[in-house]
Amino acid sequence: MLTVIKQYEDRDVIIYDYYIENRQNVYADVGHIIIKSMGGLATWRAVNDPREDYLKQGLKALFMKRNQSGGVYPAALKVVIAENKK
């Protein structure tokens, strides 16, 4: 399970942390997603997410939830981790 939690929001930016369940205390396992208000998207990934698998799943879940809720980003969500077939 991947957890995505909003850490900060103002009129210009929303900052999320994402981590694999129960790994939020391991710095290398916590990734960051930053969404800018002008439609820009800046992302940083966790050290232990070299192929950005968790980043991509977290982003996809955020956008899907936003679309379902009329354009509002959620404060937190849980994502079932899909296995990558690479």
Side-chain angles (χ1 to χ4, degrees), residues 1-5 17-22 24 76-79 81:
M1 182 79 59
L2 183 71
T3 301
V4 183
I5 297 177
D17 284 350
Y18 69 92
Y19 54 86
I20 298 171
E21 193 168 12
N22 299 322
Q24 67 266 30
L77 60 103
K78 300 273 187 182
V79 182
I81 299 173

Side-chain angles (χ1 to χ4, degrees), residues 5-73:
I5 297 177
K6 186 186 301 180
Q7 295 297 336
Y8 176 81
E9 179 178 11
D10 65 22
R11 63 180 277 218
D12 297 320
V13 69
I14 302 173
I15 300 173
Y16 286 93
D17 284 350
Y18 69 92
Y19 54 86
I20 298 171
E21 193 168 12
N22 299 322
R23 299 289 294 172
Q24 67 266 30
N25 295 325
V26 180
Y27 176 78
D29 287 343
V30 177
H32 308 286
I33 299 170
I34 299 179
I35 302 169
K36 296 182 180 182
S37 65
M38 298 303 288
L41 180 68
T43 60
W44 282 264
R45 62 176 169 76
V47 175
N48 286 343
D49 189 12
R51 295 188 327 204
E52 300 180 343
D53 292 331
Y54 302 121
L55 171 64
K56 292 171 190 169
Q57 290 181 51
L59 282 170
K60 182 178 177 182
L62 280 172
F63 294 140
M64 288 174 61
K65 188 68 171 178
R66 179 198 64 186
N67 291 343
Q68 291 171 355
S69 62
V72 177
Y73 284 101

